Amino acid sequence: MSIFTPITELIKQQLLTQLCENLEDAIFILDANLRYMSVNATYEIMIGYHEAFLVGRPLGIYAAEFLAEKERIILNNIASNLENGGFYENNFAMATRYGQTLNCHMTFRNIFIEGTLYHIGMVRDISAVIKDKEKVDHLLNYDQITGLPNRKVFLSQTSELLLESYQEVVLVRFNIDRYRTLVSTLGTNNVNTLIEHFVARVRQLDMDNLHCFSHFGGDDFALLFEFSDAHMVRHQLDILMQMCERPFLLKDNIIYLHISVGVSYFPEHGNQLAGLLTKAEKALDHIKQHGGDDVCWYHEGINAATSNSLQLEAELRIAIDECQFIPHYQPKIALATGAITGFEALVRWQHPTRGLLNPIEFIDGIIKNKLSFELFCQMALQTAKQLAIWEAMGLTQHICINADAAEFSHPEFFNFISSLFTKHYIHPHQLHIEVTESSLMLRHASVKKQLAVLKDLGIYLALDDFGTGYASLSYLQEYPFDFIKIDKSFISKIVDDHTQHAIVKAILDLATALDMKVIAEGIETEAQRDLLLKIGCTYGQGYWFSRPVTAEAATAMLTQEQKKIHLNT
Ligand code: C2E
Ligand code: MG
Ligand code: MG
């Protein structure tokens, strides 16, 4: 074992002196009057002055001859802290000889040696740490694409303003309409560029009394205003909407952006941030549901509409679970003979408190809440059972069910249809499916394939409400329809209006050319029936023959007709 040699005082002094010189932290020694006595090499490098220049000069005066007021206060603060507690630390922005400002953490402590007071200062450059912190702060508080304050900042600024303001505080929430379509057609990068242009334009508007313009992400923005009267914001919002009427140019594409705007304000709509924000958002949702491209101020009616639609959704789900939807049947008639050739199943909602409801009261709710497939299943099941009952009575019939083309994309749709035929022993020809022209147009490509599959299964297909969509007659040949149903709006005027008459005639000619049969909807008078028969329409439906009726009434119609046939034979 080697012999341990204790360190001498001299070596210790030398070691400590070298350590101080090589330390990453800068060190300086001041006298009792805060004048430099010595500094280490790191300090020299840090501030750009040699020790020889600094010695004898007061702390802080190395760049200027005399201290600025602000620096004097800082120095006094250091001095009084050292005098009272012997220690002081703080962060400082320190100017260097080269004009840079370093962010530093400094500690000062008093040391007495042989009755003399010295102040030792240690300085650590924390510029990198502060930069990182600034970066993190930026990430946490600003949108990375637009650089605008984010939702968090907007909320804190709003709550501050609500506490401080003696005026009315206006919260504006706005979205860019059709944002998803823009992303899918232009791509995310282009849309981000578009958003940057948009934000630049909003900034240029330099809106009066604006406290915060915030980007919540994507197409989602907010504005915070303060006015003596909240309604003064209307002018600013007009300017905003007008700005959107000028097109944006993006890589040779001309793009028009429309926005939907929801407004709430303190004190009218409350004094709590959360409530005000929710109300502005409700107003925004409301205007979006009504086509967008407009401004909506929050009012109680919106609340009622929202709670109505929430209640409707809850009721619709119960109705599906409890099979409250039932079909009524309207006969389809061979115009020449008046004979029933089939039925259309039309849904009715046996509502527990409101009685029997027609589709106008709930079909939009069904589509909006994505319950179309469930409704279709319920209607198709009851229809299949009805066909089986009639079959057993010797009344072979077909029933036509209405469908929204969106249902065809449901993963269970085709399985369900196939199982229907096997479970209820009905022939595919006994089931017809009709889709409206408008639901077809929205899903052009996929629907074509799905209709072809249905056709292959042996199901007859009908195009409902023909003439009400945006379709040109020529697109008809692309689809495998067996029937075209001319919308009742044409039939109602056919007797007196030459144009409607000519249109119906043209549809009949086209259908003949395409080998499709035509059913006229909404025949209400004998004259209409006669005229349609005269111009070559074979089938019809309408109140003239029968309104939609219950299954029992439809059965009675069929049995009566059967009796008539027996009597005549
Ligand atoms: P639609 O399929 O075109 O059905 C014809 C509508 O016209 C029915 O209204 C029927 O009652 C009515 N109607 C029949 N004859 C006449 C007439 O002579 N004059 C007048 N003014 N109207 C007549 P309803 O039952 O209220 O159905 C409205 C719409 O709701 C249907 O129009 C259909 O698009 C939809 N719908 C009905 N049932 C279902 C269903 O089960 N599923 C889906 N997805 N939609 C359905
Ligand atoms: Mg129909
Ligand atoms: Mg129709």
Side-chain angles (χ1 to χ4, degrees):
M1 217 170 127
S2 60
I3 300 161
F4 174 72
T5 320
I7 194 170
T8 64
E9 204 47 42
L10 183 65
I11 297 285
K12 186 177 162 189
Q13 292 300 329
Q14 283 176 356
L15 280 171
L16 287 176
T17 309
Q18 279 209 26
L19 172 71
C20 283
E21 281 306 306
N22 296 313
L23 214 57
E24 271 178 28
D25 289 346
I27 296 176
F28 54 79
I29 301 167
L30 308 173
D31 71 3
N33 295 314
L34 296 179
R35 282 176 307 214
Y36 287 105
M37 300 185 80
S38 175
V39 303
N40 72 352
T42 312
Y43 193 68
E44 285 181 321
I45 295 166
M46 193 183 272
I47 67 167
Y49 290 101
H50 283 298
E51 186 180 53
F53 173 83
L54 291 168
V55 168
R57 290 172 191 264
L59 176 70
I61 306 186
Y62 45 80
E65 282 307 307
F66 41 87
L67 288 173
E69 182 58 24
K70 210 169 90 188
E71 287 168 324
R72 195 184 305 282
I73 294 171
I74 293 172
L75 281 188
N76 286 343
N77 197 18
I78 296 171
S80 71
N81 272 288
L82 286 173
E83 199 178 324
N84 296 328
F87 181 81
Y88 183 64
E89 68 177 327
N90 212 335
N91 289 343
F92 296 94
M94 200 168 81
T96 72
R97 181 180 182 184
Y98 312 109
Q100 279 174 297
T101 303
L102 296 182
N103 290 300
C104 298
H105 181 74
M106 285 198 199
T107 55
F108 295 85
R109 67 192 76 227
N110 292 347
I111 291 182
F112 286 90
I113 292 179
E114 294 175 2
T116 308
L117 170 65
Y118 301 92
H119 303 298
I120 311 287
M122 287 186 78
V123 189
R124 179 164 291 177
D125 182 356
I126 54 167
S127 302
V129 178
I130 291 204
K131 239 192 202 136
D132 285 349
K133 190 177 171 298
E134 279 169 0
K135 253 192 219 158
V136 172
D137 280 351
H138 200 270
L139 278 171
L140 288 176
N141 295 312
Y142 294 88
D143 182 88
Q144 296 311 296
I145 292 165
T146 56
L148 289 174
N150 62 15
R151 184 184 174 96
K152 184 173 150 239
V153 177
F154 182 84
L155 297 187
S156 79
Q157 291 204 11
T158 310
S159 25
E160 270 172 34
L161 199 59
L162 285 172
L163 284 176
E164 289 165 4
S165 180
Y166 293 102
Q167 304 199 64
E168 302 198 329
V169 177
V170 186
L171 271 77
V172 177
R173 295 277 287 107
F174 70 94
N175 287 175
I176 293 172
D177 295 343
R178 297 179 303 120
Y179 182 72
R180 285 209 190 119
T181 318
L182 285 172
V183 174
S184 60
T185 44
L186 299 173
T188 310
N189 288 345
N190 286 332
V191 169
N192 286 347
T193 312
L194 189 63
I195 295 280
E196 284 174 48
H197 290 332
F198 171 79
V199 165
R201 267 206 211 164
V202 177
R203 278 186 159 137
Q204 276 167 15
L205 294 178
D206 205 10
M207 289 187 259
D208 291 343
N209 298 34
L210 178 66
H211 275 258
C212 184
F213 172 26
S214 170
H215 189 186
F216 288 12
D219 63 326
D220 207 359
F221 295 89
L223 300 164
L224 176 66
F225 293 93
E226 189 187 29
F227 285 102
S228 56
D229 173 357
H231 290 269
M232 288 160 83
V233 83
R234 285 181 193 278
H235 180 59
Q236 307 303 316
L237 298 181
D238 284 347
I239 294 172
L240 182 68
M241 299 301 279
Q242 279 161 20
M243 178 276 276
C244 292
E245 284 167 18
R246 289 190 352 251
F248 290 84
L249 202 66
L250 187 80
K251 292 189 182 160
D252 298 334
N253 287 322
I254 294 177
I255 295 153
Y256 286 86
L257 289 185
H258 299 282
I259 56 170
S260 300
V261 183
V263 187
S264 70
Y265 69 98
F266 160 82
E268 175 75 16
H269 303 128
N271 56 8
Q272 296 296 318
L273 168 68
L276 285 163
L277 194 71
T278 311
K279 285 174 180 170
E281 279 167 0
K282 275 186 182 166
L284 171 62
D285 282 347
H286 184 77
I287 199 67
K288 279 165 81 174
Q289 277 169 21
H290 289 81
D293 194 18
D294 211 344
V295 179
C296 175
W297 288 63
Y298 176 79
H299 56 86
E300 282 305 317
I302 289 177
N303 237 354
T306 318
S307 77
N308 280 349
S309 84
L310 287 177
Q311 194 187 341
L312 177 67
E313 180 182 351
E315 286 184 353
L316 285 174
R317 289 188 190 279
I318 294 172
I320 291 279
D321 288 347
E322 295 184 355
C323 289
Q324 293 171 6
F325 295 109
I326 52 162
H328 273 196
Y329 298 98
Q330 186 178 39
K332 279 194 279 184
I333 306 292
L335 295 182
T337 61
I340 296 172
T341 62
F343 288 89
E344 177 178 4
L346 293 156
V347 65
R348 300 292 180 260
W349 181 3
Q350 189 68 66
H351 193 282
T353 54
R354 291 165 62 200
L356 198 66
L357 303 181
N358 281 334
I360 184 115
E361 306 214 38
F362 60 86
I363 209 82
D364 282 351
I366 290 277
I367 294 170
K368 217 170 84 193
N369 292 298
K370 303 203 166 31
L371 294 169
S372 300
F373 175 67
E374 284 75 8
L375 174 68
F376 179 84
C377 292
Q378 240 168 63
M379 290 292 284
L381 259 177
Q382 295 180 73
T383 300
K385 284 182 188 164
Q386 193 57 55
L387 284 170
I389 292 170
W390 285 340
E391 194 69 34
M393 294 167 72
L395 303 166
T396 301
Q397 275 301 321
H398 79 256
I399 299 178
C400 193
I401 306 180
N402 290 280
D404 181 55
E407 288 152 40
F408 302 158
S409 304
H410 193 284
E412 284 304 310
F413 184 79
F414 288 100
N415 281 345
F416 171 77
I417 290 276
S418 313
S419 71
L420 215 56
F421 302 134
T422 47
K423 271 192 199 152
H424 300 278
Y425 306 105
I426 54 169
H427 192 275
H429 282 356
Q430 290 180 275
L431 192 73
H432 295 198
I433 289 182
E434 46 184 79
V435 288
T436 59
E437 206 179 17
S438 46
S439 86
L440 198 73
M441 284 294 113
L442 294 173
R443 299 174 180 84
H444 201 75
S446 51
V447 167
K448 226 184 255 184
K449 283 188 211 138
Q450 292 157 337
L451 287 174
V453 177
L454 288 173
K455 190 100 188 97
D456 286 346
L457 285 173
I459 293 170
Y460 284 128
L461 302 172
L463 180 59
D464 204 357
D465 298 350
F466 186 72
T468 54
Y470 349 65
S472 71
L473 296 181
S474 60
Y475 89 106
L476 260 185
Q477 62 189 337
E478 297 172 28
Y479 291 94
F481 287 113
D482 304 285
F483 297 92
I484 303 171
K485 299 184 80 171
I486 305 177
D487 190 67
K488 53 181 172 288
S489 57
F490 294 97
I491 309 303
S492 63
K493 296 181 207 133
I494 195 175
V495 176
D496 305 315
D497 187 328
H498 290 300
T499 318
Q500 303 296 336
H501 181 278
I503 291 174
V504 174
K505 184 81 183 68
I507 296 172
L508 283 165
D509 291 345
L510 180 79
T512 312
L514 294 172
D515 202 20
M516 295 176 184
K517 297 182 188 80
V518 175
I519 304 167
E521 291 188 296
I523 301 174
E524 291 185 351
T525 65
E526 193 172 12
Q528 288 166 353
R529 195 271 318 260
D530 292 347
L531 182 60
L532 283 161
L533 197 54
K534 202 170 117 197
I535 59 176
C537 183
T538 325
Y539 303 102
Q541 262 177 269
Y543 295 167
W544 173 252
F545 306 105
S546 166
R547 286 183 176 255
V549 294
T550 60
E552 294 73 38
T555 310
M557 268 184 208
L558 284 174
T559 39
Q560 204 177 0
E561 194 172 74
Q562 205 180 33
K563 270 186 208 151
K564 259 196 237 160
I565 296 168
H566 282 309
L567 282 176
N568 291 340
T569 50

